[in-house]
Amino acid sequence: MCGIAGVWTGRADAPLRREVVTAMLGAMAGRGPDGIRLVERDGLTVGFNLLAIVGGPDNRAQPVED
C-alpha cells in the first residue's frame, strides 16, 4: 500500500505546505519506495509515496492517474 499525506491551510502558502508534506512522506518512505508525487490545489497539498505496479497496461505509478 502507498503512503498518503496532506495539508490544507486555506491559504496560498504552497512552499510551506510542500515542505511539510514532503517531510511526512519521507517518514513513511517504506510504504511506497518507487517515488513521490505532490498534487496542489487551492490551499491543499496532497502527496503520495508511489508504488510502481509492474506488468500493468503501462507500468503506471499508483495511486494517482492523470
Side-chain angles (χ1 to χ4, degrees), residues 44-64:
L44 171 70
T45 300
V46 178
F48 308 90
N49 283 337
L50 302 173
L51 179 61
I53 305 300
V54 179
D58 50 5
N59 294 327
R60 293 178 190 222
Q62 298 293 322
V64 178

Side-chain angles (χ1 to χ4, degrees), residues 16-39:
L16 177 61
R17 287 193 322 265
R18 202 174 305 127
E19 183 178 322
V20 169
V21 171
T22 300
M24 290 190 297
L25 293 173
M28 56 181 168
R31 297 196 48 89
D34 297 318
I36 290 178
R37 172 136 184 238
L38 295 176
V39 177

